[in-house]
Amino acid sequence: MRKKLQVEAIRQGTVIDHIPAGQGIKILDRLQLLDSNASITVGFNLPSKDQGHKDIIKVTNRMFSEQEANQLALFAPTATINVIDNYEVVDKFKMALPESLQGAFSCPNSNCITHNEPVDTHFSLREHKGDVRLKCRYCEKSFSKDIVAEL
Amino acid sequence: MENRLYKRDIISIADFDRNDLELVLETAAQLKNSPRPDLLKGKVIASCFFEASTRTRLSFETAVQRLGGTLIGFSDGGNTSAKKGETLADSVNIISSYTDAFVMRHPQEGSARLASEFSSVPVINGGDGSNQHPTQTLLDLFSIRECQDKLDGLKIAFVGDLKYGRTVHSLAQALCHFGAEFTFIAPKALTMPDYILEELDEKGIKYHFSDSIEETAPKVDIIYMTRVQKERFDETEYKHIASRYILNVDSLKDAKDNLKILHPLPRVDEIAVEVDKTPYAYYFQQAENGVYARQALLALVLNEVV
Ligand SMILES: [Zn+2]
């Protein structure tokens, strides 16, 4: 088997694999991974059997919260999360688009009441023609995920 | 009919199913026929207008008084504690502890939903920014049912500013429960937004586009007019628009006998005054109906049995 590792293996932590190419940088940014103490190895635009190209992120000594996993699902619905212990994959799960996201993003509608009041934002998610739409529970406006996330 | 609106917040027309809508309309019709000055007896209703809206406020306040309720509140948020930096959440928390229901209007979208999370009593949305104005939609539906004797399977034309007109959006969405067919007549820049059209597609509702009221009038039961704001266009453009999207007696010469014209009011010049005298004009009755629709809502929210 001629399988050459393109990104170094880690002893313990999390590997987010099969991220759509180009989304890896957004995930790093969104989850503020670079601000943490964890050491991170990334691969962008790696060849992938099913996807053509993919990004991959390896984070040492760190697990992801449900909130973070939800945000991941938004950017990389095809990604898989591998939990690594002693160089072995001990748990592996596929991303699933959450039904709602709470407190993760602020509402792009500048006249939405959530900008002035002591509440978490709350978006319900649905897929529309291949895009994910987020609808604000409060102002009832719908936005594409890129508009919500790239604020 | 079972009262599923008892103790419920009235925030968005999207929260209503067909049964809820019919319950409100049926109750409004009953209250129009036989007044019930006892239904809110002993109840105190907060009427809090964080932005001024005289018609809506007077309509709500009349509704409360006709049902024997008492009002507290304010008509212009300009001199309330909001100016001193108090959150809406705190205001609602406190005022709702004095009252049995909380009617509010606020300039920001989502304020009514937020208020419902901090209120100990039902919140009734009297308009939140450009978002929802459910009582307007209810009075529109009530008026349509009243002048056509039914709601199912009607053909309705919307004319004017269909892009920013929230009354048009909510009414179209509500009419989907009754299998309506729509014609949209609007300047290109003010056409119906995609997200509404997508919803109509998903629900299998038929709609068409037209740029002539005259050609549409013979085919529809209702023409719902809205105002095209002059400010959105330059003068030549506006003149062109005015010639197409202003309703006058001529444009009604081939109209169906049962055609009725609605308008959320106030109008400026989009309906010629001469139309008022035709049998098609129904907008003043529609405005009056606002009181009955609001009475019905208040009565249902505050009484298990009406
Ligand atoms: Zn919002």
Side-chain angles (χ1 to χ4, degrees):
Chain A
M1 198 167 77
R2 282 180 59 222
K3 198 172 175 189
K4 211 168 99 191
L5 271 183
Q6 285 173 296
V7 184
E8 197 187 337
I10 57 173
R11 175 205 264 279
Q12 195 166 51
T14 310
V15 175
I16 311 165
D17 199 358
H18 301 110
I19 301 167
Q23 299 292 310
I25 195 91
K26 287 188 194 167
I27 289 170
L28 285 175
D29 190 37
R30 182 50 33 207
L31 300 187
Q32 297 177 320
L33 291 173
L34 298 176
D35 298 344
S36 68
N37 290 326
S39 38
I40 298 160
T41 321
V42 293
F44 293 146
N45 240 357
L46 304 179
S48 154
K49 242 196 294 175
D50 340 317
Q51 288 168 273
H53 288 92
K54 66 174 184 181
D55 292 350
I56 188 166
I57 300 175
K58 304 192 174 197
V59 190
T60 308
N61 299 328
R62 192 178 188 286
M63 301 304 172
F64 287 89
S65 67
E66 195 186 328
Q67 178 68 259
E68 289 172 314
N70 281 343
Q71 292 191 40
L72 270 177
L74 195 57
F75 290 99
T78 56
T80 44
I81 289 189
N82 301 279
V83 181
I84 311 288
D85 190 25
N86 202 20
Y87 298 105
E88 300 231 356
V89 177
V90 292
D91 201 0
K92 180 174 186 142
F93 46 97
K94 263 197 143 11
M95 294 283 80
L97 197 64
E99 278 176 18
S100 66
L101 275 179
Q102 223 168 321
F105 306 102
S106 62
C107 182
N109 172 7
S110 60
N111 199 37
C112 179
I113 193 74
T114 53
H115 295 289
N116 309 82
E117 294 286 323
V119 287
D120 275 350
T121 57
H122 190 131
F123 294 96
S124 58
L125 277 69
R126 76 183 176 105
E127 278 194 80
H128 181 82
K129 292 181 183 158
D131 185 24
V132 177
R133 296 277 175 93
L134 290 89
K135 183 174 184 182
C136 174
R137 167 187 172 83
Y138 294 95
C139 70
E140 302 186 25
K141 305 271 180 291
S142 280
F143 308 94
S144 77
K145 72 168 192 285
D146 291 338
I147 289 175
V148 174
E150 278 171 16
L151 264 185
Chain B
M1 243 187 282
E2 188 203 351
N3 179 9
R4 295 192 305 172
L5 295 178
Y6 180 52
K7 291 187 173 167
R8 224 168 92 179
D9 298 302
I10 308 298
I11 307 300
S12 169
I13 210 71
D15 300 338
F16 283 73
D17 64 18
R18 181 179 167 129
N19 287 333
D20 298 335
L21 294 171
E22 283 179 336
L23 175 63
V24 177
L25 303 184
E26 190 49 47
T27 308
Q30 282 170 20
L31 290 171
K32 187 167 184 175
N33 285 329
S34 43
R36 297 274 302 276
D38 55 328
L39 279 172
L40 295 189
K41 213 165 179 183
K43 308 275 191 207
V44 179
I45 315 298
S47 163
C48 296
F49 278 62
F50 295 89
E51 81 176 340
S53 173
T54 309
R55 282 159 197 271
T56 302
R57 181 173 60 83
L58 293 180
S59 180
F60 264 118
E61 295 186 0
T62 306
V64 171
Q65 311 238 15
R66 289 237 179 104
L67 297 174
T70 311
L71 282 153
I72 63 161
F74 46 87
S75 57
D76 178 356
N79 43 30
T80 67
S81 45
K83 273 267 157 80
K84 296 175 199 150
E86 186 180 48
T87 60
L88 175 63
D90 281 359
S91 306
V92 171
N93 199 336
I94 294 159
I95 299 168
S96 70
S97 73
Y98 305 157
T99 58
D100 299 292
F102 190 95
V103 175
M104 66 176 282
R105 185 182 183 100
H106 194 283
Q108 284 187 280
E109 288 103 59
S111 51
R113 181 77 66 194
L114 180 130
S116 72
E117 291 167 359
F118 291 89
S119 172
S120 51
V121 298
V123 170
I124 298 179
N125 186 4
D128 60 329
S130 67
N131 183 31
Q132 286 279 329
H133 194 8
T135 59
Q136 176 71 45
T137 307
L138 291 167
L139 79 89
D140 290 343
L141 284 175
F142 178 61
S143 302
I144 292 172
R145 191 178 95 138
E146 184 178 68
C147 67
Q148 303 292 336
D149 281 327
K150 63 170 188 175
L151 271 178
D152 278 298
L154 292 171
K155 294 186 175 173
I156 295 162
F158 289 102
V159 184
D161 183 349
L162 309 187
K163 183 172 180 186
Y164 299 100
R166 66 174 170 188
T167 56
V168 166
H169 304 162
S170 307
L171 181 56
Q173 288 165 314
L175 281 165
C176 288
H177 292 295
F178 302 93
E181 186 173 330
F182 301 120
T183 304
F184 302 126
I185 306 178
K188 264 226 159 57
L190 297 177
T191 192
M192 205 72 169
D194 285 343
Y195 78 91
I196 301 274
L197 299 179
E198 282 166 14
E199 272 188 56
L200 301 182
D201 289 337
E202 278 168 23
K203 290 174 182 157
I205 299 288
K206 271 196 228 162
Y207 57 87
H208 327 270
F209 298 92
S210 166
D211 57 3
S212 161
I213 301 177
E214 194 177 340
E215 283 169 24
T216 305
K219 301 177 199 155
V220 296
D221 307 299
I222 297 283
I223 295 180
Y224 194 100
M225 295 293 299
T226 64
R227 186 159 74 90
V228 172
Q229 286 178 284
K230 253 188 193 146
E231 309 84 83
R232 298 201 193 277
F233 299 91
D234 70 35
E235 209 173 311
T236 350
E237 235 184 328
Y238 183 75
K239 273 191 187 140
H240 169 74
I241 282 163
S243 67
R244 283 168 179 277
Y245 306 103
I246 286 183
L247 183 71
N248 51 39
V249 171
D250 277 354
S251 39
L252 295 170
K253 60 181 191 306
D254 297 320
K256 286 171 51 164
D257 289 343
N258 68 319
L259 173 76
K260 290 286 182 276
I261 297 154
L262 300 182
H263 188 300
L265 301 186
R267 73 169 149 183
V268 180
D269 54 7
E270 58 278 7
I271 302 179
V273 182
E274 72 218 35
V275 175
D276 296 1
K277 294 191 279 285
T278 69
Y280 307 118
Y282 208 72
Y283 26 92
F284 295 117
Q285 287 96 318
Q286 179 191 4
E288 185 201 330
N289 282 338
V291 175
Y292 302 113
R294 290 177 176 114
Q295 281 187 52
L297 261 187
L298 287 159
L300 289 164
V301 163
L302 286 163
N303 296 279
E304 198 165 0
V305 181
V306 176

